[in-house]
Amino acid sequence: MSHLTVIIDVTNKCNMACKYCYAGSAWEGIPSAKDINESFNSKIPLLFEFTDQIMFYNKNNPTAFIFHGGEPLLLNPKNWSIVLSYFKEKGYPIEVHVQTNGTLINKEFINLFKEFNVKIGVSLDGPSSLNDQTRIFKSGKGSFSTIFKNLQKMKEAGLIFGCLFTLNKNNLDMVAIYDFFKKNNISFNIRSIFNTKFQVPKELLITPYEYALSFCKLFDLWFDDEIRPPLIGDFNNMVARFIKPLERLTTCTFTKDCSKDFIAFNMEGNLWPCNCLSDPDFYYGNIQEENMANLLNSPKVKELSNRWQRLSRTDCKDCEVSRYCYGGCPSRAYDYYGSYFNKDPFCEAWRMIFKHVYARIKSSLKNE
């Protein structure tokens, strides 16, 4: 391993009850902000110890810290300020990202994130008619109006943010999705709903074919738009893959060996290859018991790094797009098949998508 992007799991609690929640917090009661913040505050020294170790491991090179949950903004601005101030005082070149549901953003958070140049990702599934079918509060009320108001506040303050759109059975209207994000000048990325150990409702799940059709339709709308198309990072990266492939210029789904590029940390000091792979099978260890560098040199870590070597000799051996997707996401493979070393269950979708994108780029270059 040479350089790691960090995923920090600050809490598994959430104030919402999204119907496709992958963390399991949707089915719990309303969380206690007081308890969450007291618990987090008591463990801040452990987070600092991990930060020191990861920055030493990364040779103090620029490093992305992605704060996840649950809902990370259940932590109050005071706790956030302690953490962000530590990064600054140590002179660490850390790029901070926060993935949030967007409902708790207020002026204090906006000022804090602007001061420390924090980049915000907000989960939003399109206009209210689509978003509010699945992204709801624990009361059952839709979240769109709250989120959208907060997006406007961040935009007015000049904060850098984008949205994460989760494709599910209820929001397959790509024209409505594209028009919404374009009209409001909001950059976004697209993800598919997937089944998890928390059993996502079957009526929301989509097939690989449905995902591929929707993705390609959205790509065409974007690719053919000559009048200020919105920024869709996934599409930019995918186009770059064909023009000048760079392993790190991609989403984690298409990383050749994500175990060498990412590490997940929770506030107990535990390490995992990803926040979506927190089963005992993938537990690296705890930094309170062993130095992180030693944990990353374990047989388990080395075994996980062999995934692509296995797939390139088996399932992906004769696939014409394998050098772009590298077998897809191991976490989804584990959820669906019980094996990290299987190919992504949406393999056929990726094959359709890469072929489509390549054909569009090739045709466009011919016409120039």
Side-chain angles (χ1 to χ4, degrees), residues 129-279:
S129 60
L130 301 178
N131 179 85
D132 289 352
Q133 293 186 55
T134 50
R135 300 196 62 80
I136 58 176
F137 290 105
K138 295 187 187 294
S139 65
K141 179 184 176 183
S143 60
F144 177 84
S145 61
T146 301
I147 298 169
F148 194 72
K149 288 176 184 175
N150 291 338
L151 294 180
Q152 297 305 113
K153 292 176 184 176
M154 289 195 292
K155 188 178 291 187
E156 291 168 3
L159 265 182
I160 297 174
F161 71 91
C163 286
L164 184 63
F165 160 68
T166 299
L167 190 67
N168 63 79
K169 203 76 166 185
N170 291 339
N171 60 9
L172 296 176
D173 185 349
M174 292 300 97
V175 173
I177 292 297
Y178 187 81
D179 288 348
F180 167 78
F181 284 109
K182 177 176 179 175
K183 175 184 176 182
N184 292 288
N185 193 26
I186 298 173
S187 65
F188 70 104
N189 282 317
I190 178 174
R191 296 290 181 272
S192 173
I193 187 173
F194 288 99
N195 206 359
T196 71
K197 62 184 177 182
F198 298 106
Q199 295 301 312
V200 172
K202 290 183 178 179
E203 62 270 19
L204 295 179
L205 294 173
I206 60 176
T207 66
Y209 183 70
E210 287 175 313
Y211 178 67
L213 285 181
S214 299
F215 190 103
C216 292
K217 174 64 175 176
L218 189 64
F219 180 86
D220 288 344
L221 290 168
W222 173 80
F223 197 74
D224 294 332
D225 189 349
E226 298 179 354
I227 306 174
R228 299 188 65 185
L231 174 63
I232 305 179
D234 289 337
F235 293 169
N236 288 341
N237 291 341
M238 190 165 281
V239 170
R241 298 284 282 178
F242 288 111
I243 296 174
K244 187 178 180 180
L246 296 172
E247 279 190 32
R248 297 191 64 86
L249 185 62
T250 185
T251 64
C252 60
T253 300
F254 306 132
T255 302
K256 188 174 184 179
D257 182 1
C258 57
S259 68
K260 287 185 177 179
D261 292 330
F262 294 88
I263 190 168
F265 167 89
N266 71 12
M267 295 304 294
E268 303 298 327
N270 298 318
L271 299 182
W272 318 83
C274 172
N275 62 318
C276 294
L277 287 168
S278 57
D279 283 7

Side-chain angles (χ1 to χ4, degrees), residues 9 25 35 51 54 67 74-75 94 98-99 105 142 169 194 235 244 264 294 310 321 336-337 368:
D9 187 4
S25 51
D35 290 347
T51 300
I54 194 72
F67 287 85
L74 284 170
L75 302 182
I94 294 174
V98 176
Q99 185 61 40
I105 294 168
K169 203 76 166 185
F194 288 99
F235 293 169
K244 187 178 180 180
N294 292 335
R310 294 191 190 187
V321 303
Y336 275 70
Y337 304 124
E368 287 187 354

Side-chain angles (χ1 to χ4, degrees), residues 338-349:
S339 173
Y340 179 93
F341 298 99
N342 274 43
K343 63 181 180 180
D344 192 314
F346 269 42
C347 170
E348 290 307 313

